[in-house]
Amino acid sequence: AMQREDAVCAPTETRPAPLDAADAAAASAYQGGVRADGRRKAQFRNLFMRTGVVSQAAGSAYVECGNTKVICSVYGPRQKAKMEVSEEGKLNCEFQFATFSASGSRRRNEQSEIEKELSLLLVQSLEVSVRLTSFPKSILDIYVLVLQDGGAVLSAACTGCSLALADACVEMFDLVTACSVAKLGGEIVLDPSTAEEHMQQGGLMVSCMPSVNEITQLYQFGELSHKDISESLDLCLDACKKLHTHMSKVLAESTAPLPAST
């Protein structure tokens, strides 16, 4: 289980939780080329990333995308159970929503079916990027805690987990970036908010390793035509490349030497 007593250093600048009225405001989801929150179709929400936020973890990351706020932490490696015969290492992921993460109702403490499904999707998205042979017969544990679900939570978690793995100095082939799109009123829009997700006809989440040009996960839900899927894939891949550049800068800044004191 996740260590609840870990010290977490979140950013000092933050925004208040979205009001329920946001759902009503999204009724005009996409009109005149502008979404309800003022963004264009291919525009991200405000993005903030930081590594090293959980002091007791081997590596950790905090990702804030609009009102979506996620903490990802990596522990281990630890030895596998004797009954497991694989020589390679293994990733284990536990995805959990905080009880206060969604407005209107409190979530249960035990892991739900959707949390188990998201845990599996994260492992599938991330494991191809990790050199599993670098920690043979061992397991890396990844814990994801969603502090606030403001939309596109799976892609935010995937991005945060990859940053946390890099922060833990785990050998990787490339960073994994992830982006989501939603179909609103016949238009494909990037990085949907919760209000937009409630209205979407369908959506797509793509995770990839941009440096090696490899898709690690493609998760579709709802109804999308072949044209929609093609447009969604192009939009996600282009956004993932931009996100990869930002992630690399965050990691570079976290490892930069402190200026010498005078």
PDB file of all heavy atoms in Angstrom, residues 173-206:
ATOM      1  N   PHE A 173      14.593   3.448 -22.267  1.00  0.00           N
ATOM      2  CA  PHE A 173      14.892   3.696 -23.675  1.00  0.00           C
ATOM      3  C   PHE A 173      14.482   5.109 -24.073  1.00  0.00           C
ATOM      4  O   PHE A 173      15.098   5.726 -24.936  1.00  0.00           O
ATOM      5  CB  PHE A 173      14.178   2.671 -24.555  1.00  0.00           C
ATOM      6  CG  PHE A 173      14.611   1.257 -24.297  1.00  0.00           C
ATOM      7  CD1 PHE A 173      13.800   0.381 -23.595  1.00  0.00           C
ATOM      8  CD2 PHE A 173      15.851   0.801 -24.728  1.00  0.00           C
ATOM      9  CE1 PHE A 173      14.197  -0.928 -23.354  1.00  0.00           C
ATOM     10  CE2 PHE A 173      16.264  -0.495 -24.484  1.00  0.00           C
ATOM     11  CZ  PHE A 173      15.432  -1.360 -23.786  1.00  0.00           C
ATOM     12  N   ASP A 174      13.436   5.611 -23.446  1.00  0.00           N
ATOM     13  CA  ASP A 174      12.968   6.976 -23.703  1.00  0.00           C
ATOM     14  C   ASP A 174      11.895   7.319 -22.682  1.00  0.00           C
ATOM     15  O   ASP A 174      11.313   6.427 -22.044  1.00  0.00           O
ATOM     16  CB  ASP A 174      12.397   7.097 -25.123  1.00  0.00           C
ATOM     17  CG  ASP A 174      12.095   8.534 -25.530  1.00  0.00           C
ATOM     18  OD1 ASP A 174      12.643   9.454 -24.897  1.00  0.00           O
ATOM     19  OD2 ASP A 174      11.298   8.728 -26.472  1.00  0.00           O
ATOM     20  N   LEU A 175      11.637   8.609 -22.517  1.00  0.00           N
ATOM     21  CA  LEU A 175      10.502   9.040 -21.708  1.00  0.00           C
ATOM     22  C   LEU A 175       9.203   8.694 -22.428  1.00  0.00           C
ATOM     23  O   LEU A 175       9.121   8.779 -23.660  1.00  0.00           O
ATOM     24  CB  LEU A 175      10.556  10.548 -21.476  1.00  0.00           C
ATOM     25  CG  LEU A 175      11.668  11.079 -20.570  1.00  0.00           C
ATOM     26  CD1 LEU A 175      11.719  12.600 -20.645  1.00  0.00           C
ATOM     27  CD2 LEU A 175      11.462  10.618 -19.137  1.00  0.00           C
ATOM     28  N   VAL A 176       8.193   8.312 -21.667  1.00  0.00           N
ATOM     29  CA  VAL A 176       6.870   8.069 -22.226  1.00  0.00           C
ATOM     30  C   VAL A 176       6.009   9.306 -21.988  1.00  0.00           C
ATOM     31  O   VAL A 176       5.886   9.784 -20.854  1.00  0.00           O
ATOM     32  CB  VAL A 176       6.201   6.841 -21.579  1.00  0.00           C
ATOM     33  CG1 VAL A 176       4.756   6.712 -22.054  1.00  0.00           C
ATOM     34  CG2 VAL A 176       6.970   5.575 -21.930  1.00  0.00           C
ATOM     35  N   THR A 177       5.456   9.836 -23.050  1.00  0.00           N
ATOM     36  CA  THR A 177       4.520  10.947 -22.939  1.00  0.00           C
ATOM     37  C   THR A 177       3.138  10.459 -23.356  1.00  0.00           C
ATOM     38  O   THR A 177       3.017   9.538 -24.176  1.00  0.00           O
ATOM     39  CB  THR A 177       4.939  12.128 -23.826  1.00  0.00           C
ATOM     40  OG1 THR A 177       4.903  11.717 -25.206  1.00  0.00           O
ATOM     41  CG2 THR A 177       6.354  12.573 -23.495  1.00  0.00           C
ATOM     42  N   ALA A 178       2.107  11.071 -22.804  1.00  0.00           N
ATOM     43  CA  ALA A 178       0.744  10.631 -23.106  1.00  0.00           C
ATOM     44  C   ALA A 178      -0.181  11.832 -23.242  1.00  0.00           C
ATOM     45  O   ALA A 178      -0.047  12.816 -22.507  1.00  0.00           O
ATOM     46  CB  ALA A 178       0.232   9.700 -22.005  1.00  0.00           C
ATOM     47  N   CYS A 179      -1.105  11.737 -24.188  1.00  0.00           N
ATOM     48  CA  CYS A 179      -2.087  12.793 -24.416  1.00  0.00           C
ATOM     49  C   CYS A 179      -3.445  12.168 -24.713  1.00  0.00           C
ATOM     50  O   CYS A 179      -3.525  11.051 -25.244  1.00  0.00           O
ATOM     51  CB  CYS A 179      -1.672  13.690 -25.581  1.00  0.00           C
ATOM     52  SG  CYS A 179      -0.196  14.676 -25.261  1.00  0.00           S
ATOM     53  N   SER A 180      -4.489  12.904 -24.388  1.00  0.00           N
ATOM     54  CA  SER A 180      -5.857  12.443 -24.630  1.00  0.00           C
ATOM     55  C   SER A 180      -6.599  13.452 -25.486  1.00  0.00           C
ATOM     56  O   SER A 180      -6.321  14.655 -25.440  1.00  0.00           O
ATOM     57  CB  SER A 180      -6.605  12.256 -23.303  1.00  0.00           C
ATOM     58  OG  SER A 180      -5.987  11.288 -22.496  1.00  0.00           O
ATOM     59  N   VAL A 181      -7.548  12.946 -26.256  1.00  0.00           N
ATOM     60  CA  VAL A 181      -8.444  13.807 -27.024  1.00  0.00           C
ATOM     61  C   VAL A 181      -9.877  13.343 -26.802  1.00  0.00           C
ATOM     62  O   VAL A 181     -10.130  12.215 -26.383  1.00  0.00           O
ATOM     63  CB  VAL A 181      -8.119  13.790 -28.538  1.00  0.00           C
ATOM     64  CG1 VAL A 181      -6.748  14.361 -28.814  1.00  0.00           C
ATOM     65  CG2 VAL A 181      -8.242  12.376 -29.102  1.00  0.00           C
ATOM     66  N   ALA A 182     -10.814  14.254 -27.081  1.00  0.00           N
ATOM     67  CA  ALA A 182     -12.234  13.933 -26.976  1.00  0.00           C
ATOM     68  C   ALA A 182     -12.950  14.471 -28.210  1.00  0.00           C
ATOM     69  O   ALA A 182     -12.539  15.484 -28.784  1.00  0.00           O
ATOM     70  CB  ALA A 182     -12.834  14.539 -25.706  1.00  0.00           C
ATOM     71  N   LYS A 183     -14.019  13.791 -28.604  1.00  0.00           N
ATOM     72  CA  LYS A 183     -14.842  14.261 -29.710  1.00  0.00           C
ATOM     73  C   LYS A 183     -16.023  15.025 -29.145  1.00  0.00           C
ATOM     74  O   LYS A 183     -16.849  14.482 -28.416  1.00  0.00           O
ATOM     75  CB  LYS A 183     -15.326  13.088 -30.559  1.00  0.00           C
ATOM     76  CG  LYS A 183     -16.131  13.527 -31.784  1.00  0.00           C
ATOM     77  CD  LYS A 183     -16.559  12.348 -32.650  1.00  0.00           C
ATOM     78  CE  LYS A 183     -17.338  12.823 -33.861  1.00  0.00           C
ATOM     79  NZ  LYS A 183     -17.768  11.704 -34.734  1.00  0.00           N
ATOM     80  N   LEU A 184     -16.080  16.312 -29.488  1.00  0.00           N
ATOM     81  CA  LEU A 184     -17.147  17.184 -29.000  1.00  0.00           C
ATOM     82  C   LEU A 184     -17.844  17.840 -30.189  1.00  0.00           C
ATOM     83  O   LEU A 184     -17.218  18.610 -30.914  1.00  0.00           O
ATOM     84  CB  LEU A 184     -16.581  18.277 -28.085  1.00  0.00           C
ATOM     85  CG  LEU A 184     -15.982  17.849 -26.748  1.00  0.00           C
ATOM     86  CD1 LEU A 184     -15.376  19.056 -26.054  1.00  0.00           C
ATOM     87  CD2 LEU A 184     -17.039  17.211 -25.875  1.00  0.00           C
ATOM     88  N   GLY A 185     -19.110  17.525 -30.356  1.00  0.00           N
ATOM     89  CA  GLY A 185     -19.875  18.177 -31.412  1.00  0.00           C
ATOM     90  C   GLY A 185     -19.260  18.065 -32.785  1.00  0.00           C
ATOM     91  O   GLY A 185     -19.267  19.020 -33.565  1.00  0.00           O
ATOM     92  N   GLY A 186     -18.649  16.912 -33.085  1.00  0.00           N
ATOM     93  CA  GLY A 186     -18.043  16.701 -34.383  1.00  0.00           C
ATOM     94  C   GLY A 186     -16.613  17.172 -34.488  1.00  0.00           C
ATOM     95  O   GLY A 186     -15.977  16.999 -35.531  1.00  0.00           O
ATOM     96  N   GLU A 187     -16.055  17.769 -33.432  1.00  0.00           N
ATOM     97  CA  GLU A 187     -14.679  18.242 -33.425  1.00  0.00           C
ATOM     98  C   GLU A 187     -13.835  17.413 -32.457  1.00  0.00           C
ATOM     99  O   GLU A 187     -14.322  16.973 -31.414  1.00  0.00           O
ATOM    100  CB  GLU A 187     -14.604  19.723 -33.016  1.00  0.00           C
ATOM    101  CG  GLU A 187     -15.234  20.682 -34.005  1.00  0.00           C
ATOM    102  CD  GLU A 187     -14.403  20.847 -35.261  1.00  0.00           C
ATOM    103  OE1 GLU A 187     -13.215  20.459 -35.248  1.00  0.00           O
ATOM    104  OE2 GLU A 187     -14.942  21.378 -36.261  1.00  0.00           O
ATOM    105  N   ILE A 188     -12.570  17.215 -32.805  1.00  0.00           N
ATOM    106  CA  ILE A 188     -11.622  16.522 -31.936  1.00  0.00           C
ATOM    107  C   ILE A 188     -10.820  17.565 -31.173  1.00  0.00           C
ATOM    108  O   ILE A 188     -10.183  18.436 -31.786  1.00  0.00           O
ATOM    109  CB  ILE A 188     -10.664  15.621 -32.749  1.00  0.00           C
ATOM    110  CG1 ILE A 188     -11.461  14.634 -33.606  1.00  0.00           C
ATOM    111  CG2 ILE A 188      -9.711  14.886 -31.824  1.00  0.00           C
ATOM    112  CD1 ILE A 188     -12.304  13.651 -32.813  1.00  0.00           C
ATOM    113  N   VAL A 189     -10.859  17.507 -29.852  1.00  0.00           N
ATOM    114  CA  VAL A 189     -10.175  18.508 -29.033  1.00  0.00           C
ATOM    115  C   VAL A 189      -9.158  17.824 -28.121  1.00  0.00           C
ATOM    116  O   VAL A 189      -9.369  16.709 -27.635  1.00  0.00           O
ATOM    117  CB  VAL A 189     -11.170  19.333 -28.184  1.00  0.00           C
ATOM    118  CG1 VAL A 189     -12.125  20.089 -29.094  1.00  0.00           C
ATOM    119  CG2 VAL A 189     -11.939  18.456 -27.212  1.00  0.00           C
ATOM    120  N   LEU A 190      -8.054  18.511 -27.893  1.00  0.00           N
ATOM    121  CA  LEU A 190      -6.942  17.981 -27.100  1.00  0.00           C
ATOM    122  C   LEU A 190      -7.137  18.260 -25.613  1.00  0.00           C
ATOM    123  O   LEU A 190      -7.692  19.292 -25.233  1.00  0.00           O
ATOM    124  CB  LEU A 190      -5.636  18.609 -27.581  1.00  0.00           C
ATOM    125  CG  LEU A 190      -4.339  18.186 -26.882  1.00  0.00           C
ATOM    126  CD1 LEU A 190      -3.989  16.741 -27.219  1.00  0.00           C
ATOM    127  CD2 LEU A 190      -3.192  19.123 -27.288  1.00  0.00           C
ATOM    128  N   ASP A 191      -6.663  17.330 -24.782  1.00  0.00           N
ATOM    129  CA  ASP A 191      -6.579  17.518 -23.339  1.00  0.00           C
ATOM    130  C   ASP A 191      -7.918  17.948 -22.738  1.00  0.00           C
ATOM    131  O   ASP A 191      -8.052  19.044 -22.196  1.00  0.00           O
ATOM    132  CB  ASP A 191      -5.496  18.560 -23.028  1.00  0.00           C
ATOM    133  CG  ASP A 191      -5.170  18.648 -21.544  1.00  0.00           C
ATOM    134  OD1 ASP A 191      -5.356  17.644 -20.827  1.00  0.00           O
ATOM    135  OD2 ASP A 191      -4.714  19.722 -21.102  1.00  0.00           O
ATOM    136  N   PRO A 192      -8.930  17.078 -22.805  1.00  0.00           N
ATOM    137  CA  PRO A 192     -10.266  17.467 -22.336  1.00  0.00           C
ATOM    138  C   PRO A 192     -10.346  17.639 -20.820  1.00  0.00           C
ATOM    139  O   PRO A 192      -9.676  16.946 -20.064  1.00  0.00           O
ATOM    140  CB  PRO A 192     -11.146  16.294 -22.797  1.00  0.00           C
ATOM    141  CG  PRO A 192     -10.212  15.125 -22.845  1.00  0.00           C
ATOM    142  CD  PRO A 192      -8.894  15.687 -23.296  1.00  0.00           C
ATOM    143  N   SER A 193     -11.168  18.586 -20.405  1.00  0.00           N
ATOM    144  CA  SER A 193     -11.476  18.765 -18.989  1.00  0.00           C
ATOM    145  C   SER A 193     -12.563  17.775 -18.580  1.00  0.00           C
ATOM    146  O   SER A 193     -13.135  17.071 -19.424  1.00  0.00           O
ATOM    147  CB  SER A 193     -11.958  20.195 -18.737  1.00  0.00           C
ATOM    148  OG  SER A 193     -13.182  20.419 -19.425  1.00  0.00           O
ATOM    149  N   THR A 194     -12.867  17.727 -17.290  1.00  0.00           N
ATOM    150  CA  THR A 194     -13.929  16.835 -16.813  1.00  0.00           C
ATOM    151  C   THR A 194     -15.261  17.168 -17.471  1.00  0.00           C
ATOM    152  O   THR A 194     -16.015  16.282 -17.874  1.00  0.00           O
ATOM    153  CB  THR A 194     -14.071  16.933 -15.291  1.00  0.00           C
ATOM    154  OG1 THR A 194     -12.815  16.625 -14.679  1.00  0.00           O
ATOM    155  CG2 THR A 194     -15.111  15.949 -14.772  1.00  0.00           C
ATOM    156  N   ALA A 195     -15.556  18.465 -17.558  1.00  0.00           N
ATOM    157  CA  ALA A 195     -16.814  18.881 -18.163  1.00  0.00           C
ATOM    158  C   ALA A 195     -16.910  18.403 -19.606  1.00  0.00           C
ATOM    159  O   ALA A 195     -17.972  17.961 -20.059  1.00  0.00           O
ATOM    160  CB  ALA A 195     -16.938  20.407 -18.088  1.00  0.00           C
ATOM    161  N   GLU A 196     -15.806  18.480 -20.349  1.00  0.00           N
ATOM    162  CA  GLU A 196     -15.806  18.024 -21.736  1.00  0.00           C
ATOM    163  C   GLU A 196     -15.909  16.505 -21.809  1.00  0.00           C
ATOM    164  O   GLU A 196     -16.561  15.968 -22.713  1.00  0.00           O
ATOM    165  CB  GLU A 196     -14.545  18.522 -22.434  1.00  0.00           C
ATOM    166  CG  GLU A 196     -14.533  20.026 -22.654  1.00  0.00           C
ATOM    167  CD  GLU A 196     -13.210  20.553 -23.171  1.00  0.00           C
ATOM    168  OE1 GLU A 196     -12.158  19.940 -22.858  1.00  0.00           O
ATOM    169  OE2 GLU A 196     -13.215  21.575 -23.882  1.00  0.00           O
ATOM    170  N   GLU A 197     -15.268  15.798 -20.875  1.00  0.00           N
ATOM    171  CA  GLU A 197     -15.370  14.335 -20.857  1.00  0.00           C
ATOM    172  C   GLU A 197     -16.801  13.873 -20.617  1.00  0.00           C
ATOM    173  O   GLU A 197     -17.218  12.835 -21.135  1.00  0.00           O
ATOM    174  CB  GLU A 197     -14.441  13.768 -19.791  1.00  0.00           C
ATOM    175  CG  GLU A 197     -12.970  13.842 -20.164  1.00  0.00           C
ATOM    176  CD  GLU A 197     -12.065  13.221 -19.115  1.00  0.00           C
ATOM    177  OE1 GLU A 197     -12.472  13.125 -17.943  1.00  0.00           O
ATOM    178  OE2 GLU A 197     -10.938  12.845 -19.461  1.00  0.00           O
ATOM    179  N   HIS A 198     -17.545  14.627 -19.837  1.00  0.00           N
ATOM    180  CA  HIS A 198     -18.938  14.255 -19.575  1.00  0.00           C
ATOM    181  C   HIS A 198     -19.798  14.363 -20.823  1.00  0.00           C
ATOM    182  O   HIS A 198     -20.857  13.742 -20.909  1.00  0.00           O
ATOM    183  CB  HIS A 198     -19.516  15.155 -18.474  1.00  0.00           C
ATOM    184  CG  HIS A 198     -18.968  14.848 -17.108  1.00  0.00           C
ATOM    185  ND1 HIS A 198     -19.152  15.671 -16.024  1.00  0.00           N
ATOM    186  CD2 HIS A 198     -18.224  13.805 -16.663  1.00  0.00           C
ATOM    187  CE1 HIS A 198     -18.543  15.151 -14.966  1.00  0.00           C
ATOM    188  NE2 HIS A 198     -17.989  14.012 -15.342  1.00  0.00           N
ATOM    189  N   MET A 199     -19.361  15.177 -21.788  1.00  0.00           N
ATOM    190  CA  MET A 199     -20.161  15.414 -22.989  1.00  0.00           C
ATOM    191  C   MET A 199     -19.622  14.704 -24.222  1.00  0.00           C
ATOM    192  O   MET A 199     -20.258  14.718 -25.272  1.00  0.00           O
ATOM    193  CB  MET A 199     -20.202  16.923 -23.278  1.00  0.00           C
ATOM    194  CG  MET A 199     -20.781  17.776 -22.161  1.00  0.00           C
ATOM    195  SD  MET A 199     -20.770  19.524 -22.611  1.00  0.00           S
ATOM    196  CE  MET A 199     -21.836  19.493 -24.050  1.00  0.00           C
ATOM    197  N   GLN A 200     -18.475  14.083 -24.136  1.00  0.00           N
ATOM    198  CA  GLN A 200     -17.822  13.542 -25.319  1.00  0.00           C
ATOM    199  C   GLN A 200     -18.583  12.351 -25.912  1.00  0.00           C
ATOM    200  O   GLN A 200     -19.171  11.553 -25.195  1.00  0.00           O
ATOM    201  CB  GLN A 200     -16.392  13.119 -24.974  1.00  0.00           C
ATOM    202  CG  GLN A 200     -16.291  11.955 -24.012  1.00  0.00           C
ATOM    203  CD  GLN A 200     -14.862  11.667 -23.579  1.00  0.00           C
ATOM    204  OE1 GLN A 200     -13.925  12.312 -24.034  1.00  0.00           O
ATOM    205  NE2 GLN A 200     -14.689  10.706 -22.697  1.00  0.00           N
ATOM    206  N   GLN A 201     -18.527  12.248 -27.230  1.00  0.00           N
ATOM    207  CA  GLN A 201     -19.091  11.084 -27.917  1.00  0.00           C
ATOM    208  C   GLN A 201     -18.097   9.936 -27.948  1.00  0.00           C
ATOM    209  O   GLN A 201     -18.476   8.780 -28.095  1.00  0.00           O
ATOM    210  CB  GLN A 201     -19.481  11.458 -29.348  1.00  0.00           C
ATOM    211  CG  GLN A 201     -20.661  12.414 -29.447  1.00  0.00           C
ATOM    212  CD  GLN A 201     -20.217  13.856 -29.628  1.00  0.00           C
ATOM    213  OE1 GLN A 201     -19.029  14.141 -29.702  1.00  0.00           O
ATOM    214  NE2 GLN A 201     -21.178  14.755 -29.681  1.00  0.00           N
ATOM    215  N   GLY A 202     -16.813  10.257 -27.823  1.00  0.00           N
ATOM    216  CA  GLY A 202     -15.755   9.250 -27.836  1.00  0.00           C
ATOM    217  C   GLY A 202     -14.434   9.934 -27.562  1.00  0.00           C
ATOM    218  O   GLY A 202     -14.351  11.163 -27.481  1.00  0.00           O
ATOM    219  N   GLY A 203     -13.405   9.127 -27.403  1.00  0.00           N
ATOM    220  CA  GLY A 203     -12.099   9.710 -27.111  1.00  0.00           C
ATOM    221  C   GLY A 203     -10.980   8.728 -27.358  1.00  0.00           C
ATOM    222  O   GLY A 203     -11.194   7.543 -27.640  1.00  0.00           O
ATOM    223  N   LEU A 204      -9.753   9.229 -27.250  1.00  0.00           N
ATOM    224  CA  LEU A 204      -8.573   8.420 -27.499  1.00  0.00           C
ATOM    225  C   LEU A 204      -7.454   8.893 -26.585  1.00  0.00           C
ATOM    226  O   LEU A 204      -7.259  10.094 -26.390  1.00  0.00           O
ATOM    227  CB  LEU A 204      -8.136   8.560 -28.960  1.00  0.00           C
ATOM    228  CG  LEU A 204      -7.084   7.595 -29.490  1.00  0.00           C
ATOM    229  CD1 LEU A 204      -7.691   6.214 -29.697  1.00  0.00           C
ATOM    230  CD2 LEU A 204      -6.517   8.107 -30.819  1.00  0.00           C
ATOM    231  N   MET A 205      -6.726   7.922 -26.005  1.00  0.00           N
ATOM    232  CA  MET A 205      -5.522   8.227 -25.232  1.00  0.00           C
ATOM    233  C   MET A 205      -4.356   7.524 -25.896  1.00  0.00           C
ATOM    234  O   MET A 205      -4.421   6.330 -26.169  1.00  0.00           O
ATOM    235  CB  MET A 205      -5.660   7.760 -23.782  1.00  0.00           C
ATOM    236  CG  MET A 205      -4.574   8.302 -22.829  1.00  0.00           C
ATOM    237  SD  MET A 205      -2.946   7.509 -22.948  1.00  0.00           S
ATOM    238  CE  MET A 205      -3.257   5.895 -22.233  1.00  0.00           C
ATOM    239  N   VAL A 206      -3.299   8.270 -26.174  1.00  0.00           N
ATOM    240  CA  VAL A 206      -2.115   7.727 -26.818  1.00  0.00           C
ATOM    241  C   VAL A 206      -0.905   7.994 -25.938  1.00  0.00           C
ATOM    242  O   VAL A 206      -0.696   9.116 -25.475  1.00  0.00           O
ATOM    243  CB  VAL A 206      -1.880   8.357 -28.212  1.00  0.00           C
ATOM    244  CG1 VAL A 206      -0.581   7.847 -28.821  1.00  0.00           C
ATOM    245  CG2 VAL A 206      -3.049   8.062 -29.134  1.00  0.00           C
TER     246      VAL A 206
END
